């Protein structure tokens, strides 16, 4: 036995040493590696099948394949009659053989604002120069697991950073050397939204920051490529060198697939994108990307819902995803979206086949499955010699007992570079099935299950299971049966007929016996003979838009709507119209008057009801995946538009409170924050369709405690500014730099495009408006003076809780105030706040709005507006303007929305009562002529969701009772963003 390892070692040396390398350990010889496989059904590719074909391989490659092939005289011939050959699978997204980077324990002790590397890009998370070849270490154990799952080739890379470097194409050939295993040392270029673990550099702290960083990097790479940079930058050089490689972006969810594609479109790059398995939720949007996807199949387990109280914490969305995820591949395929499959995110490749079989049961086509594992990954990699068995391709192939995507099929071998890797011994006959066993005048049922050498059996007499012992080795069966303490010992050899076998044995008295086992015809056997299967596909609950509780089964459409006989608060010059009709057509307010009619219109009886313009929240943080980019003291390059979250349930809740438009503001982590997103609350639409078309340009500035980090903890003391004086200098410095940048740009001289300075220059050029987080009067005065120094006006002071102290100066400057109705003393710098603030500013002629800055408060802004009647004595109409036309004016949208006027957008709310009353409910909320909230429909939705939840719980209980693995219920806590949320 000691000789075998030595022989393998010598074979590895001689068999896999390069032919031009000298040998000093023995005689140099060549090994004949020609092998011919005959009589097999060969899948040369998913579209090219040869029955009773011949495959000839030599030196790790296919030298011939076809029906009639001349077999070389020196070839080893293997007869595969009844067997199938498929190309081995390709995992195009892997980190095989690359050690996972470890996070430095020193990170986080104090913030790191600058890069730690010299000669590279200014941000450590941009690492396109990374080449995994220098880090690669072949992992034999992991290779075996992948081989057993059917994979022969992986495209591996270092999964670390926003730009991660290139990929490495590796054959999973355990007995080869790197000289043969590495098929291509530079295949792909990899990107993500995640920072590197190798650096603690702060920026970016958000997804929108990562997107801005990607944009700036591409711009800088172009600038560098044109020879304009004064310095050498190894990162930008590498990025330019790799720009023609296939670009693979790790997104990880449908939302981030769309975000990644948006970046690619801006720079003319068509990414191949790693999805998250939830693409079915927005399949039409995914299709529009025209991207080839890479899809993980890490389907979640059913939740253990046996405990009612624990089950109550599981969201309906998570329950749905358990049910819907296995249908994702079928949905993608039916929509013509090309994709490859990956083992990414699986704890072990062992789960890959089971999950793939589950997807096939959910309607995934088998041919599409083979394409997703062979030809499409090869196309992504632009590699013609993998993923197929054409002449000249690498000899990576699987040998199976039948259709590779049939649950009963046994995968025998996975050949990589012409080397055999045994998964299940092909010499072991598959005898699984149910048999009628007769011996010594007695009848038994023999049930054999398992695969290969792991085949096992149980014996039944009638319904009773008998104790037995079964051994199957070298095609010999040994079976002992204990039948009520009378023993039978049987032995027999499996010949060519697997459906019937026999042998001899001995009974309890030592008498010789004979026995016969005959295979029973099962239901599936009968179906194969022509009877149709009545087996149904698993039930999949319907997708809603968005795919959460209270989502729409069908997206709302514009309608012709006639509201009759209502009390109308127009928000136009305090005008109130009694017993008035409003006609809505094509998303606009078409007519206002009495006794209006319109053929085919949906009629809403407004008798006893109030109709107003939709509420506008000037300062909101709902419907976003991020709120602060805190990595720098200025982040004007980031935009909330990149991270709008159309699935946020708070959109629906705001509609239920009569809100139709919001400005999603960046937080207050820095003096100069990010750009805003102004959206309409079109529940069920995608992010792009929510954002106002030709939206006015806004940016968030901030003053006070947050920006100087006085409430960030003792370690956050090194970023400038740390004082209110320093905040002023930040503004002056950036405005001066932007002014100089803009002058150079307009001069026609070559310039490095800087997204941050472009944005700030827009402010100076009066093309972008500032909404500034503010509290203390001294700072409010300061920013107005800085603005006047650079010849522009601040648009809005938000919060502005000391606005009453400087209302006259605000009026003179021309700035509006968006404030809280009655917040005060919740931190030191608001100790002087008073609830009369809004009324005082209003009476000084300042345009005043009441905002929320809070996901809960935004649901009752009508009541917040009512507080201005109590605190300050505003009239009802003046109060109502603070949440309708006034915020519209502050957002420069008053020509489009904010009041009821012919020609404006039909953003309208029907209230049950006076909208300032605590008893008032929004009964219908209409956005651009489509009803996005209806109080009666809401009741029906809740009833339907209760029934759906009960159905899903029943399905999961069935899974658990059936023995399927489950996971513990877990509550997901949704973060509600505010200005200071990290």
């Amino acid at each position: 036995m000691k000789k075998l390892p030595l022989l393998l070692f010598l074979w590895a040396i001689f068999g896999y040493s390069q032919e031009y390398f000298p040998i000093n350990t023995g005689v140099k010889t060549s090994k004949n590696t020609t092998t011919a496989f005959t009589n097999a059904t060969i899948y040369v590719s998913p579209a090219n099948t040869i029955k009773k074909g011949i495959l000839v391989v030599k030196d790790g490659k296919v030298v011939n394949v076809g029906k009639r092939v001349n077999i070389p005289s020196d070839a080893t011939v293997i007869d595969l009659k009844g067997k199938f050959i498929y190309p081995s699978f390709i995992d195009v997204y892997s980190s095989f053989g690359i050690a996972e980077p470890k996070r430095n324990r020193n990170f986080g002790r104090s913030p790191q604002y600058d890069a730690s590397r010299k000669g590279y890009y200014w941000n450590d998370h941009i690492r396109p120069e990374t080449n995994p070849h220098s880090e690669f270490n072949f992992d034999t154990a992991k290779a075996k697991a992948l081989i057993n799952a059917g994979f022969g080739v992986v495209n591996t890379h270092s999964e670390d950073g926003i730009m991660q470097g290139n990929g490495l194409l590796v054959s999973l050939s355990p007995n080869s050397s790197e000289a043969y295993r590495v098929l291509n040392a530079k295949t792909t270029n990899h990107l993500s939204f995640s920072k590197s673990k190798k650096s603690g550099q702060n920026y970016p702290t958000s997804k929108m920051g990562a997107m801005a960083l990607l944009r700036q990097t591409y711009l800088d790479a172009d600038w560098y490529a044109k020879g304009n940079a004064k310095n050498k930058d190894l990162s930008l050089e590498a990025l330019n060198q790799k720009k023609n490689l296939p670009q693979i972006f790790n997104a990880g969810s449908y939302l981030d697939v769309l975000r990644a594609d948006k970046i690619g479109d801006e720079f003319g790059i068509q990414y191949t994108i790693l999805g998250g398995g939830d693409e079915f939720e927005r399949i039409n949007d995914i299709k529009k990307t025209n991207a080839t996807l890479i899809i993980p199949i890490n389907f979640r387990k059913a939740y253990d819902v046996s405990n009612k109280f624990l089950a109550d914490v599981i969201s309906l969305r998570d329950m749905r995803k358990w049910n819907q995820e296995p249908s994702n591949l079928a949905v993608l395929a039916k929509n013509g979206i090309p994709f490859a499959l990956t083992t990414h995110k699986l704890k072990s490749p062992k789960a890959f086949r089971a999950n793939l079989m589950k997807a096939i049961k959910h309607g995934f086509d088998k041919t599409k499955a083979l394409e997703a594992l062979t030809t499409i990954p090869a196309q992504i990699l632009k590699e013609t010699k993998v993923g197929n068995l054409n002449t000249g391709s690498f000899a990576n192939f699987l040998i199976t007992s039948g259709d590779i995507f049939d649950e009963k099929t046994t995968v025998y071998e996975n050949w990589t570079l012409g080397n055999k890797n045994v998964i299940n011994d092909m010499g072991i006959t598959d005898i699984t099935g149910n048999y009628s066993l007769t011996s010594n005048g007695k009848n038994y049922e023999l049930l054999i299950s398992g695969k290969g050498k792991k085949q096992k059996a149980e014996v039944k007499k009638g319904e009773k299971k008998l104790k037995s012992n079964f051994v199957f080795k070298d095609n010999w069966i040994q079976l002992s049966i204990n039948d009520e303490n009378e023993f039978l010992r049987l032995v027999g050899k499996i010949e060519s007929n697997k459906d019937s076998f026999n042998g001899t044995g001995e009974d309890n008295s030592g008498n010789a016996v004979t026995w016969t086992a005959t295979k029973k015809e099962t239901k599936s056997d009968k179906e194969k003979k022509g009877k149709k299967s009545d087996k149904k596909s698993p039930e999949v609950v319907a997708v809603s838009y968005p795919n959460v509780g209270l989502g729409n089964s069908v997206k709302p459409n514009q309608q012709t709507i006639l509201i009759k006989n209502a009390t109308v608060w127009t928000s136009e010059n305090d005008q109130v119209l009694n017993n008035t009709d409003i006609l809505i057509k094509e998303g606009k307010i078409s007519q206002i008057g009495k006794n209006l009619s319109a053929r085919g219109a949906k009629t809403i009886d407004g008798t006893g009801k109030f109709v107003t313009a939709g509420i506008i929240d000037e300062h909101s943080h709902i419907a976003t995946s991020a709120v602060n980019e805190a990595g720098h003291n200025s982040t004007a390059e980031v935009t909330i538009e990149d991270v709008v979250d159309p699935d946020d349930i708070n959109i629906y809740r705001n509609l239920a409170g009569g809100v139709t438009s919001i400005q999603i503001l960046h937080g207050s982590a820095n003096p100069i924050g990010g750009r805003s997103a102004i959206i309409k609350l079109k529940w069920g639409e995608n992010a792009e369709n929510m954002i106002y078309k030709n939206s006015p340009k806004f940016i968030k500035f901030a003053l006070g405690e947050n920006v100087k980090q006085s409430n960030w903890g003792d370690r956050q003391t090194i970023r400038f500014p740390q004082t209110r004086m320093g905040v002023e200098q930040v503004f002056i410095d950036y405005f001066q730099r932007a002014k100089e940048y803009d002058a150079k740009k307009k001069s026609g001289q070559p310039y490095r495009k800087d997204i941050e300075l472009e944005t700030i220059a827009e402010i100076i050029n009066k093309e972008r408006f500032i909404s500034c987080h503010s509290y203390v009067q001294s700072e409010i005065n300061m920013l107005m003076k800085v603005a006047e120094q650079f010849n522009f006006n601040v648009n809005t002071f938000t919060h502005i809780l000391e606005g009453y102290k400087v209302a006259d100066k605000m009026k003179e400057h021309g700035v509006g105030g968006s404030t809280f109705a009655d917040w005060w003393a919740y931190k030191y710098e608001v100790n002087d706040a008073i609830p009369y603030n809004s009324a005082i500013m209003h009476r000084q002629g300042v345009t005043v709005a009441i905002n929320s800055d809070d996901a809960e408060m935004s649901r009752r802004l009508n009541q917040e507006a009512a507080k201005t009647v109590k605190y300050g004595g505003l009239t009802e109409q003046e109060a109502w303007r603070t949440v309708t036309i006034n915020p519209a004016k502050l957002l420069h949208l008053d020509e489009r929305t904010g009041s009821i006027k012919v020609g404006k957008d039909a953003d309208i709310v029907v209230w049950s009562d006076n909208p300032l009353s605590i008893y008032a409910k929004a009964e219908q909320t209409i956005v651009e002529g489509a009803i996005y909230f209806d109080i009666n429909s809401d009741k029906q939705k809740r009833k339907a969701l209760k029934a759906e939840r009960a159905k899903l719980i029943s399905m999961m209980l069935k899974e658990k009772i059936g023995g399927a693995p489950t996971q513990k219920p877990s509550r997901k806590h949704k973060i509600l963003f505010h200005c200071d949320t990290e």
Side-chain angles (χ1 to χ4, degrees):
M1 290 301 293
K2 291 182 180 179
K3 292 181 180 180
L4 183 58
L6 178 61
L7 288 172
L8 289 172
F9 173 73
L10 292 173
W11 179 83
I13 292 175
F14 296 130
Y16 279 96
S17 57
Q18 288 88 327
E19 61 181 356
Y20 54 89
F21 278 33
I23 294 294
N24 295 297
T25 55
V27 177
K28 187 170 183 177
T29 61
S30 298
K31 183 177 182 295
N32 176 33
T33 62
T34 307
T35 308
F37 302 86
T38 63
N39 296 317
T41 298
I42 303 172
Y43 280 78
V44 179
S45 68
N48 182 10
T49 308
I50 303 170
K51 293 186 177 180
K52 296 183 179 179
I54 300 171
L55 176 70
V56 182
V57 302
K58 182 179 181 180
D59 296 334
K61 290 190 176 180
V62 176
V63 296
N64 214 338
V65 63
K67 190 91 170 175
R68 296 176 179 83
V69 169
N70 291 325
I71 300 175
S73 59
D74 62 345
T76 301
V77 179
I78 300 175
D79 186 356
L80 293 180
K81 184 179 180 181
K83 307 292 192 300
F84 288 64
I85 296 178
Y86 292 87
S88 296
F89 304 154
I90 304 166
D91 194 338
V92 74
Y93 193 91
S94 174
S95 56
F96 171 79
I98 308 295
E100 183 178 352
K102 294 182 179 179
R103 197 175 297 279
N104 191 320
R105 291 182 180 179
N106 293 323
F107 296 167
R109 293 185 179 179
S110 61
Q112 177 191 332
Y113 290 105
D114 298 322
S116 58
R117 306 180 303 162
K118 305 299 181 183
Y120 296 90
Y121 197 56
W122 62 265
N123 191 281
D124 281 343
H125 307 297
I126 300 297
R127 316 175 76 88
E129 70 282 354
T130 301
N131 189 335
H133 202 176
S134 59
E135 304 175 34
F136 182 72
N137 184 23
F138 191 86
D139 189 322
T140 303
K142 288 183 178 178
K144 184 178 180 182
L146 286 163
I147 286 169
N148 289 349
F151 291 88
V153 176
V154 295
N155 185 52
T156 188
H157 74 291
S158 177
E159 197 175 4
D160 182 65
I162 291 171
M163 287 191 175
Q164 303 175 338
N166 62 269
L168 182 72
L169 191 63
V170 178
S171 171
L172 297 172
S173 189
N175 295 321
S176 300
S177 67
E178 305 294 44
Y180 290 89
R181 279 195 291 244
V182 177
L183 306 181
N184 188 339
K186 199 174 287 185
T187 51
T188 46
N189 193 40
H190 290 260
L191 308 94
S192 79
F193 290 132
S194 300
K195 297 199 291 186
S196 171
K197 294 179 181 178
K198 296 177 181 178
S199 173
Q201 189 171 3
N202 271 28
Y203 186 84
T205 63
S206 67
K207 195 158 288 177
M208 59 184 166
M211 294 179 74
L213 178 58
L214 283 165
R215 290 186 179 100
Q216 191 61 60
T217 304
Y218 281 131
L219 291 171
D220 288 345
D222 182 62
W223 170 252
Y224 189 89
K226 293 173 180 175
N228 293 312
K230 297 177 182 179
N231 60 296
K232 188 174 184 65
D233 190 311
L234 296 176
S235 296
L236 295 182
E237 281 188 8
L239 179 57
N240 285 326
Q241 290 166 3
K242 296 174 183 179
K243 66 181 181 181
N244 292 324
L245 294 176
Q247 307 289 307
I248 296 182
F249 203 111
N250 177 356
S253 71
Y254 95 79
L255 266 176
D256 285 345
V257 168
L258 301 178
R259 290 164 179 162
D261 186 69
K262 178 182 177 182
I263 296 282
D265 288 348
E266 290 174 19
F267 291 92
I269 302 168
Q270 182 60 72
Y271 294 128
T272 296
I273 307 176
L274 176 70
D278 58 353
E279 292 72 25
F280 61 90
E281 293 190 321
R282 294 278 182 173
I283 194 64
N284 292 330
D285 295 329
I286 295 295
K287 189 173 183 176
K288 288 176 184 176
T289 67
N290 293 319
T292 298
L293 303 179
I294 304 168
I295 304 297
I297 52 173
N298 55 322
F299 307 142
R300 66 189 68 197
K301 298 173 186 174
Y303 294 93
D304 184 351
V305 291
S306 51
N307 183 312
K308 176 194 178 302
F309 300 106
L310 293 178
D312 285 345
V313 307
I314 309 169
S315 72
L316 180 67
R317 186 176 199 183
D318 284 340
M319 285 187 176
R320 277 187 184 173
K321 282 196 169 186
W322 161 75
N323 171 262
Q324 294 167 339
E325 282 173 346
S327 69
N328 187 51
L329 303 184
V331 173
L332 287 165
K334 287 172 184 175
N335 281 275
I337 299 169
F339 61 92
L341 297 178
T342 177
T343 60
H344 182 66
K345 292 293 185 184
L346 287 174
K347 290 183 178 179
S348 167
K350 290 180 180 179
F352 183 83
R353 181 174 172 81
N355 285 355
L356 183 55
M357 293 298 105
K358 193 172 187 178
I360 288 170
K361 286 181 180 178
H362 279 75
F364 185 34
D365 180 76
K366 291 182 179 181
T367 300
K368 293 294 183 183
L370 187 57
E371 289 174 356
L373 288 163
T374 56
T375 52
I376 293 178
Q379 290 166 11
I380 291 171
L381 297 167
K382 297 182 180 178
E383 295 284 345
T384 59
K385 294 184 178 180
V386 294
N388 65 75
L389 295 175
N390 293 319
T391 300
S393 293
F394 291 107
N396 302 321
F397 55 92
L398 299 159
I399 300 175
T400 72
S401 64
D403 176 355
I404 195 165
F405 299 122
D406 189 311
E407 287 184 325
K408 294 182 178 180
T409 292
T410 300
V411 180
Y412 294 120
E413 296 169 1
N414 188 351
W415 289 63
T416 53
L417 294 183
N419 299 302
K420 180 170 68 174
N421 301 286
V422 176
I423 300 171
N424 291 292
D425 191 339
M426 206 179 338
I428 298 176
T429 305
D430 180 4
I431 58 171
T432 56
N434 293 358
Y435 296 82
S436 295
L437 189 153
T438 303
S439 179
N440 210 24
K442 295 181 179 181
N443 297 318
Y444 303 94
E445 185 178 7
L446 176 65
L447 297 89
I448 303 176
S449 59
K451 288 186 177 181
K453 61 185 179 182
K454 293 183 179 180
Q455 292 179 83
K456 57 186 179 180
E458 64 177 57
V459 178
K460 286 185 176 180
K461 187 176 182 182
E463 294 298 317
K464 184 178 180 181
K465 182 179 176 181
L466 304 180
K467 292 182 178 180
S468 62
N469 183 56
F470 175 83
V471 177
F472 182 51
K473 187 176 182 181
D474 298 330
N475 282 345
W476 280 87
I477 287 177
Q478 295 180 52
L479 176 63
S480 299
I481 303 172
N482 181 352
D483 184 359
E484 297 179 354
N485 291 324
E486 291 189 5
F487 292 91
L488 274 175
R489 291 180 296 149
L490 310 177
V491 65
K493 187 175 183 181
I494 306 300
E495 303 294 349
S496 58
N497 183 7
K498 296 182 290 182
D499 294 337
S500 179
F501 39 85
N502 54 61
T504 59
E506 197 172 86
D507 66 11
N508 200 54
S509 302
N511 299 315
V513 297
T514 59
W515 62 275
T516 301
T518 304
K519 197 170 190 178
K520 294 181 178 180
E521 190 173 46
T522 64
K523 184 178 179 182
S524 60
D525 293 330
K526 293 176 182 177
E527 289 166 358
K528 288 178 182 177
K529 290 181 179 180
K531 291 187 178 181
K532 290 184 178 180
S533 172
D534 60 355
K535 192 173 183 181
K536 296 180 181 178
S537 296
E539 181 180 1
V540 178
V541 299
V543 172
S544 66
Y545 304 95
N547 195 35
V548 299
L550 301 173
N552 301 306
S553 57
V554 178
K555 292 182 183 179
N557 293 315
Q558 285 183 351
Q559 303 179 62
T560 298
I561 301 172
L562 180 59
I563 304 172
K564 298 283 291 181
N565 200 38
T567 299
V568 180
W569 288 13
T570 65
S571 294
E572 287 280 333
N573 300 318
D574 296 341
Q575 187 179 33
V576 176
L577 305 175
N578 295 313
N579 304 318
T580 297
D581 304 344
I582 301 174
L583 179 62
I584 298 168
K585 280 187 176 181
E586 297 177 350
K588 300 288 184 180
I589 298 171
S590 177
Q591 295 181 53
I592 303 171
K594 296 182 184 293
N595 301 316
L596 300 181
S597 62
R599 183 177 296 176
K602 175 182 175 64
T603 301
I604 298 174
D605 184 4
T607 304
K609 296 179 171 54
F610 288 70
V611 176
T612 71
I615 291 172
I616 300 171
D617 191 354
E618 185 275 339
H619 185 146
S620 178
H621 298 301
I622 70 165
T624 180
S625 301
V627 70
N628 267 307
E629 174 46 64
H632 288 156
N633 58 16
S634 168
T635 55
E637 71 280 0
V638 310
T639 174
I640 295 287
E641 286 190 359
D642 280 341
V643 289
V644 171
D645 178 7
D647 298 347
D648 185 359
I649 189 61
N650 288 299
I651 295 172
Y652 185 78
R653 290 170 178 164
N654 273 243
L655 285 164
V659 182
T660 56
S661 294
I662 64 171
Q663 177 179 213
I664 312 173
L665 280 167
H666 187 276
S668 56
N670 26 34
I672 302 176
R675 292 168 274 163
S676 305
I678 304 176
I679 70 169
K680 291 203 176 187
L681 302 185
K682 298 178 181 179
W683 181 240
E685 283 289 353
N686 60 29
E688 182 182 359
N689 289 340
M690 286 186 177
I691 297 169
Y692 267 80
K693 306 305 178 190
N694 302 313
S695 176
K697 297 178 180 180
F698 273 80
I699 187 170
K700 175 76 173 290
F701 275 37
L703 307 168
E705 294 179 7
N706 295 355
V707 301
K708 65 187 184 72
Q709 299 183 300
S710 59
N711 51 10
W712 287 37
D714 294 338
R715 293 177 181 174
Q716 302 287 340
T717 57
I718 65 172
R719 189 188 82 179
F720 183 82
Q722 292 290 305
T723 65
R724 296 179 194 267
M725 295 179 292
V727 174
E728 179 179 13
Q729 293 310 306
V730 167
F731 292 143
I732 292 172
D733 175 59
Y734 272 96
F735 283 130
Q736 183 60 38
R737 286 167 54 199
K739 186 176 179 180
E740 294 169 8
Y741 170 89
D742 195 47
K744 185 175 184 179
K745 176 182 176 182
K746 291 174 179 176
S747 73
Q749 298 178 58
Y751 71 100
R752 170 187 171 269
K753 186 170 182 178
D754 187 309
I755 303 171
E756 179 184 33
L757 293 180
E758 288 268 337
T759 304
I760 298 172
E762 288 177 340
I763 300 170
I764 297 173
N765 292 328
K766 302 179 181 179
E767 297 167 352
R768 184 173 295 277
F769 307 107
I770 293 173
S771 185
C772 184
H773 166 113
S774 55
Y775 291 107
V776 178
Q777 65 170 332
S778 58
E779 289 187 295
I780 296 165
N781 277 324
M782 173 270 290
L783 185 57
M784 288 192 289
K785 290 177 181 178
V786 170
E788 289 164 2
Q789 179 182 336
F790 287 91
N791 195 32
F792 69 89
N793 290 352
V794 179
N795 189 85
T796 310
F797 281 114
T798 188
H799 302 320
I800 191 70
L801 294 187
E802 290 189 15
Y804 67 94
K805 295 181 180 181
V806 290
D808 54 341
K809 294 181 180 179
M810 291 174 64
K811 170 63 177 173
E812 182 181 350
H813 182 78
V815 62
S818 182
T819 188
F820 298 128
D822 61 349
W823 286 27
W824 62 79
Y826 54 89
K827 61 178 178 176
Y828 183 78
E829 64 183 350
V830 296
N831 277 350
D832 283 359
I834 59 174
Y836 299 92
N837 183 46
S838 56
I840 293 171
M841 288 192 293
H842 168 71
R843 292 200 169 96
Q844 285 292 324
V846 176
T847 301
V848 177
I850 301 295
N851 67 53
S852 74
D853 188 20
D854 180 78
E856 192 277 328
M857 184 185 289
S858 58
R859 302 165 64 179
R860 49 180 174 81
L861 276 172
N862 62 315
Q863 296 176 26
E864 294 299 302
K867 292 175 182 178
T868 64
V869 177
K870 176 180 179 180
Y871 298 116
L874 268 62
T875 68
E876 285 188 340
Q877 294 307 306
E878 287 174 331
W880 192 246
R881 289 168 66 88
T882 64
V883 291
T884 53
I885 193 64
N886 285 4
K889 288 178 178 178
L890 293 179
L891 294 173
H892 299 265
L893 293 170
D894 50 307
E895 293 299 315
R896 295 157 70 172
T897 191
S899 65
I900 295 180
K901 182 179 180 180
V902 171
K904 283 195 173 186
D905 291 349
D907 300 340
I908 288 175
V909 184
V910 179
W911 299 90
S912 64
D913 208 325
N914 181 315
L916 296 175
S917 167
I918 60 171
Y919 301 107
K921 294 180 181 179
E923 294 190 348
Q924 285 94 19
T925 303
I926 302 167
V927 182
E928 292 184 1
I931 300 174
Y932 281 93
F933 174 81
D934 180 278
I935 198 165
N936 291 320
S937 297
D938 178 75
K939 292 174 183 176
Q940 294 169 9
K941 281 183 178 182
R942 294 175 189 278
K943 185 177 180 181
L945 293 182
K946 183 178 179 181
E948 182 184 349
R949 188 177 182 90
K951 177 193 280 190
L952 289 168
I953 286 173
S954 295
M955 289 179 176
M956 285 187 275
L957 285 171
K958 186 177 179 181
E959 288 271 311
K960 180 178 174 65
I961 293 169
T966 58
Q967 60 175 312
K968 291 180 180 179
S970 60
R971 184 192 298 275
K972 289 186 178 177
H973 295 278
K974 182 174 178 60
I975 298 173
L976 297 179
F977 292 130
H978 296 90
C979 280
D980 56 356
T981 305
E982 292 182 8

